Amino acid sequence: MEKVNPKRLLLPQVIELLRHSLHTIQYGYLILTVQDGCVIKMERTEKFIFSSKHKSGYIIRDVPVEQHSFQPKILAQLQGLMYGQLIIRIEDGKIEQIEKTEKRRINEQEGVYGDGI
């Protein structure tokens, strides 16, 4: 298996967007898509909850300079992932779930005679 260069995995822009999103999303999802060992896309879906319980309304938060406490764990999950997605679910400003979907490229000849999978 090809060893992935960590610098190639995450561009500085990806790390900055990840840090910013982890600090600012209250409810929603971050989806990081990995191809050939590199993050090629980040989707951010943010939900806004309106209810009588939350009287304060929408709050614009300053983003702290330091990394988010979960950022090292997320980066560790991305290590070694060649193809797939990492889905981060955020509820009330806290990471509730991290789901990792890994896809594997199978040579066309593998599995023909019962081997491979």
Side-chain angles (χ1 to χ4, degrees):
M1 178 180 236
E2 177 186 334
K3 188 165 176 113
V4 177
N5 181 351
K7 291 185 183 206
R8 189 180 74 148
L9 179 69
L10 287 168
L11 297 171
Q13 305 95 300
V14 175
I15 293 173
E16 179 60 24
L17 278 172
L18 177 63
R19 184 185 66 78
H20 182 270
S21 297
L22 290 172
H23 282 295
T24 58
I25 292 178
Q26 285 298 299
Y27 296 92
Y29 292 90
L30 285 175
I31 302 172
L32 300 164
T33 302
V34 178
Q35 181 177 326
D36 295 324
C38 300
V39 174
I40 62 162
K41 180 172 63 171
M42 183 174 119
E43 297 173 55
R44 176 181 167 154
T45 304
E46 190 168 1
K47 301 175 189 176
F48 297 94
I49 309 293
F50 303 105
S51 74
S52 60
K53 293 179 185 177
H54 299 91
K55 304 260 186 209
S56 61
Y58 182 71
I59 299 170
I60 297 176
R61 292 178 166 73
D62 290 332
V63 179
V65 176
E66 69 274 357
Q67 72 178 7
H68 190 273
S69 60
F70 266 83
Q71 193 169 324
K73 293 175 185 173
I74 292 168
L75 298 178
Q77 289 294 315
L78 289 169
Q79 290 293 329
L81 182 62
M82 290 300 292
Y83 300 95
Q85 290 185 327
L86 197 67
I87 302 171
I88 304 159
R89 184 170 65 92
I90 301 168
E91 291 287 331
D92 200 20
K94 298 177 184 130
I95 295 177
E96 289 290 320
Q97 179 177 332
I98 298 175
E99 181 180 327
K100 183 176 180 179
T101 304
E102 186 170 359
K103 297 180 180 182
R104 297 187 184 254
R105 301 287 169 129
I106 306 294
N107 186 334
E108 289 181 27
Q109 296 299 316
E110 281 187 305
V112 174
Y113 300 106
D115 59 344
I117 298 177

